[in-house]
Amino acid sequence: MHMEKSADKWGKNGKGEQWQEKWWEQYDSSGKAEKSADKWCSLDPNTTLDVGHAHVWHERYENHQ
Protein backbone atom coordinates (compact mmCIF):
# COMPACT_ATOMS: atom_id res chain seq x y z
CA MET A 1 0.00 0.00 0.00
CA HIS A 2 1.14 3.54 -0.75
CA MET A 3 -0.57 6.74 0.41
CA GLU A 4 0.23 10.35 -0.40
CA LYS A 5 -1.21 13.65 0.84
CA SER A 6 -0.28 17.08 -0.47
CA ALA A 7 -1.40 20.71 -0.54
CA ASP A 8 -0.48 23.93 -2.31
CA LYS A 9 -2.07 26.99 -0.67
CA TRP A 10 -1.60 30.63 -1.65
CA GLY A 11 -3.12 33.88 -0.43
CA LYS A 12 -2.86 37.62 -0.99
CA ASN A 13 -4.48 40.52 0.87
CA GLY A 14 -5.42 44.05 -0.25
CA LYS A 15 -1.99 45.45 0.74
CA GLY A 16 -0.22 43.06 -1.64
CA GLU A 17 1.13 40.85 1.13
CA GLN A 18 1.38 37.22 0.03
CA TRP A 19 2.04 33.79 1.48
CA GLN A 20 2.41 30.32 0.02
CA GLU A 21 2.61 26.92 1.65
CA LYS A 22 3.37 23.66 -0.18
CA TRP A 23 3.66 20.34 1.61
CA TRP A 24 3.48 16.62 0.92
CA GLU A 25 3.59 13.38 2.87
CA GLN A 26 4.17 9.87 1.50
CA TYR A 27 3.59 6.69 3.49
CA ASP A 28 4.32 3.06 2.60
CA SER A 29 2.95 -0.18 4.06
CA SER A 30 5.94 -0.62 6.40
CA GLY A 31 5.04 2.61 8.24
CA LYS A 32 7.91 4.62 6.78
CA ALA A 33 7.11 8.22 5.87
CA GLU A 34 8.67 11.03 3.88
CA LYS A 35 7.51 14.56 4.57
CA SER A 36 8.36 17.93 3.08
CA ALA A 37 7.13 21.50 3.55
CA ASP A 38 8.06 24.74 1.79
CA LYS A 39 6.69 28.04 3.16
CA TRP A 40 7.14 31.59 1.91
CA CYS A 41 5.77 35.00 2.97
CA SER A 42 6.13 38.59 1.76
CA LEU A 43 4.88 41.49 3.90
CA ASP A 44 4.25 45.14 3.03
CA PRO A 45 7.72 46.79 3.23
CA ASN A 46 6.21 49.62 5.33
CA THR A 47 5.10 47.20 8.06
CA THR A 48 6.83 47.72 11.41
CA LEU A 49 8.46 44.47 12.49
CA ASP A 50 9.69 43.05 15.79
CA VAL A 51 13.46 42.63 16.18
CA GLY A 52 14.67 39.51 14.37
CA HIS A 53 11.78 39.42 11.87
CA ALA A 54 11.87 40.13 8.12
CA HIS A 55 9.53 41.41 5.42
CA VAL A 56 10.28 38.35 3.25
CA TRP A 57 11.07 34.90 4.58
CA HIS A 58 11.34 31.34 3.33
CA GLU A 59 11.39 28.08 5.27
CA ARG A 60 11.98 24.53 4.02
CA TYR A 61 11.64 21.25 5.91
CA GLU A 62 12.33 17.67 4.82
CA ASN A 63 12.11 14.49 6.85
CA HIS A 64 12.94 10.99 5.62
CA GLN A 65 12.26 8.13 8.04
Side-chain angles (χ1 to χ4, degrees):
M1 180 178 106
H2 175 84
M3 184 174 76
E4 181 174 318
K5 299 188 305 185
S6 64
D8 185 353
K9 304 178 210 176
W10 174 82
K12 182 177 180 179
N13 67 17
K15 296 190 298 184
E17 298 174 324
Q18 299 181 59
W19 62 270
Q20 184 175 23
E21 174 181 303
K22 294 180 180 183
W23 60 265
W24 62 263
E25 300 173 349
Q26 293 180 338
Y27 301 89
D28 65 21
S29 59
S30 71
K32 292 183 180 178
E34 291 190 32
K35 299 179 181 185
S36 175
D38 196 7
K39 300 178 182 183
W40 170 84
C41 182
S42 174
L43 300 176
D44 178 350
N46 298 313
T47 301
T48 303
L49 301 174
D50 292 332
V51 174
H53 291 244
H55 288 96
V56 176
W57 59 266
H58 181 246
E59 177 179 290
R60 179 169 287 155
Y61 168 83
E62 291 189 28
N63 180 24
H64 304 280
Q65 297 178 350

